[in-house]
Amino acid sequence: MGLMKGKRGIIFGVANDRSIAWSIAEVCKREGAEIGITYLGEAMAKRVVPLGEKLGAAFTLSCDATDDAEIQAVIDASAEIWDGIDFIVHSVAYAKKEELKGKFYDTSKEGFQLAMTASVYTLISICRIAEPRLTDGAGILTMSYLGAERVMPHYNVMGVAKAALEASVRYLAVDMGQRGIRVNGISAGPIRTLAAAGISDFKEILNWNRDNAPMRRNISQQEVGESSLLFLSDMGSGVTGEIMHVDAGYHVVGMRAVDE
Ligand code: NAD
């Protein structure tokens, strides 16, 4: 315990208590971190502001991460209470529901741009805008999915966005590495959350993963939270540009041998 003692960080992307961002916030808090959380737009305030209070968050702010001025406002708010930022979590993604079904080639140009802007460019903006306030050795973490590497049913434009996100992690790792700042990602297995609800037949994906993963189960938000400690604490001080799968091993499976 106490792995995050003395660390101060911002967690972007809390929608509710099922959000991966929320589990990461809870785990980091338990380990001694001071945390600011953000949510998208005032419509979410009703749910997220009480969560911030429950957590004892240093601040709970609305932030549309597609707007650089709103990111800057969050960074400025942190500067009023902290003399630096030790970690950032980017747990933000969006695609229009109609893009998450049917044929990938039917993705509209507008839907493509929206998914890339909200799910990828937001990480790039956050890194650039936060950089002057980041402490040496700070940890940045984003959330990806196996759809970046392989075709997953209905994941479509989000798969392409996650591939771009994972490539961005590597480029950002180079941009930010000189001060020991690390940029990494977790490729999480499927979890029932608000974002996942937008993917057609998501239940099928959950069942398939459960039945075929080496560990024969799905993972929880809490497990992603616990794994995030590797990248956000000093345990991962030598790790950057990495995407770690937290998926009960599903990514290693081609066709599972019949063993029953
Ligand atoms: P979630 O809906 O709880 O979180 C997604 C968050 O993105 C929400 O808080 C939403 O408000 C925020 N967001 C969307 N557009 C935004 C914008 N313009 N500015 C700021 N915030 C914005 O769902 P989640 O499953 O916890 O998703 C978190 C991350 O984990 C996403 O990147 C998602 O792709 C990734 N992920 C999820 C799963 C899964 O199965 N749930 C698996 C792998 C990766």
Side-chain angles (χ1 to χ4, degrees):
M1 296 295 147
L3 282 169
M4 299 292 288
K5 202 163 186 317
K7 295 201 184 293
R8 303 140 306 173
I10 306 173
I11 299 182
F12 290 87
V14 179
N16 54 42
D17 62 3
R18 302 180 83 140
S19 296
I20 293 172
W22 174 247
S23 285
I24 296 174
E26 280 191 309
V27 168
C28 289
K29 181 74 184 181
R30 183 196 73 203
E31 294 295 328
E34 276 179 63
I35 293 159
I37 60 177
T38 81
Y39 57 93
L40 176 61
E42 288 312 320
M44 289 203 169
K46 201 163 68 129
R47 196 160 288 144
V48 182
V49 169
L51 285 176
E53 281 164 14
K54 185 174 151 200
L55 187 74
F59 54 83
T60 304
L61 294 171
S62 175
C63 177
D64 179 346
T66 62
D67 182 343
D68 284 2
E70 295 202 15
I71 298 173
Q72 187 68 60
V74 172
I75 301 301
D76 290 348
S78 78
E80 284 178 21
I81 49 170
W82 300 331
D83 61 8
I85 301 167
D86 302 299
F87 67 98
I88 289 181
V89 176
H90 171 269
S91 189
V92 168
Y94 181 74
K96 288 201 281 187
K97 212 170 168 169
E98 60 262 35
E99 310 288 7
L100 300 174
K101 60 182 177 199
K103 287 194 187 295
F104 169 62
Y105 67 28
D106 285 330
T107 305
S108 68
K109 192 186 281 184
E110 187 218 340
F112 185 87
Q113 286 167 345
L114 186 58
M116 294 293 270
T117 301
S119 313
V120 186
Y121 195 75
T122 49
L123 175 68
I124 300 166
S125 293
I126 287 171
C127 286
R128 184 184 62 254
I129 294 167
E131 211 265 352
R133 304 286 316 159
L134 290 172
T135 55
D136 292 356
I140 296 171
L141 180 65
T142 188
M143 292 297 136
S144 193
Y145 177 54
L146 191 58
E149 301 165 58
R150 299 194 216 156
V151 174
M152 295 292 167
H154 309 303
Y155 204 56
N156 295 2
V157 70
M158 274 309 298
V160 174
K162 291 302 190 192
L165 182 74
E166 294 188 6
S168 300
V169 162
R170 294 184 279 274
Y171 280 89
L172 291 165
V174 173
D175 283 354
M176 305 184 80
Q178 282 187 2
R179 286 204 289 126
I181 299 169
R182 300 158 293 117
V183 187
N184 292 291
I186 285 180
S187 180
I191 304 171
R192 248 183 232 286
T193 62
L194 195 61
I199 302 164
S200 294
D201 296 330
F202 187 72
K203 193 163 175 278
E204 296 296 316
I205 296 176
L206 275 174
N207 292 344
W208 180 264
N209 276 261
R210 180 198 63 209
D211 294 344
N212 292 283
M215 296 169 78
R216 306 291 197 276
R217 65 173 178 83
N218 282 308
I219 56 139
S220 65
Q221 290 87 332
Q222 288 71 25
E223 287 178 300
V224 179
E226 301 293 346
S227 298
S228 76
L229 290 172
L230 172 62
F231 297 117
L232 302 177
S233 76
D234 295 336
M235 283 196 296
S237 59
V239 184
T240 196
E242 185 69 19
I243 307 293
M244 181 172 76
H245 295 88
V246 180
D247 63 356
Y250 180 73
H251 68 286
V252 305
V253 175
M255 184 182 277
R256 180 159 68 76
V258 178
D259 58 1
E260 282 89 10

